[in-house]
Amino acid sequence: MRAILLVLLICLIPTASHAGILVGPTLNPANGHTYLVLDLATWDDAQAEAVSLGGNLVTIDDAAENQWIIDTFAGIPGIPFVQLRPIDVLTFWIGLNDIAQEGQFEWVSGEPITYTNWAPGEPNNLVIGNEDWGMIYAAPGPTWSTGQWNDSVNEAHLAKAAIVEITNAPVPEPASHLVFSSLVLSVLAIRRRKKDS
């Protein structure tokens, strides 16, 4: 009986979550996809975390999704800014890149590009020919509007928050609940056998 109580107690301990998640999960009712905001990271690290969560960095299919992202995530307090002198800029990584072939942007999800919202003069590959990763501005600046995109470098000193999109996100049941339910059913089955004998 002590062993059963010990197992029950262990099952009730909360399971660890991904430390890099700042916001979410948040459901977009228009497409049924689930979105998360990750803490500051390089594009590569953010994409790796997105994959570990069952998704990718966001693929923006149309102006409505672009606006939903801004409306949903741009005004949330606590999302860190990137310092671009002389201003602080709220930006998010998105899943757009031209890593494979310069100038040929593609979504990391493999979906076709059906919509773009580049800021004026972008993409421009400005920094030594190495701006291969897409980002979205979540606040206006001197040459861009909120919701417009830019190509950026993938360096730790310019780490950004990132938006993850999970397209087929079943609602996961916490493992502790599954184990607890199985254990309770086992105990009931054992009691029933003892009662029947």
Side-chain angles (χ1 to χ4, degrees), residues 67-107:
Q67 190 60 50
W68 181 87
I69 287 167
I70 294 304
D71 292 345
T72 304
F73 301 118
I76 296 175
I79 295 179
F81 286 74
V82 175
Q83 182 156 17
L84 297 175
R85 292 184 181 91
I87 59 173
D88 290 336
V89 181
L90 180 56
T91 60
F92 297 105
W93 288 123
I94 60 176
L96 199 60
N97 71 80
D98 69 345
I99 299 166
Q101 183 177 347
E102 186 59 44
Q104 299 296 314
F105 281 86
E106 58 188 12
W107 291 114

Side-chain angles (χ1 to χ4, degrees), residues 161-174:
I163 299 180
V164 174
E165 180 177 16
I166 304 170
T167 56
N168 296 315
V171 178
E173 186 168 339

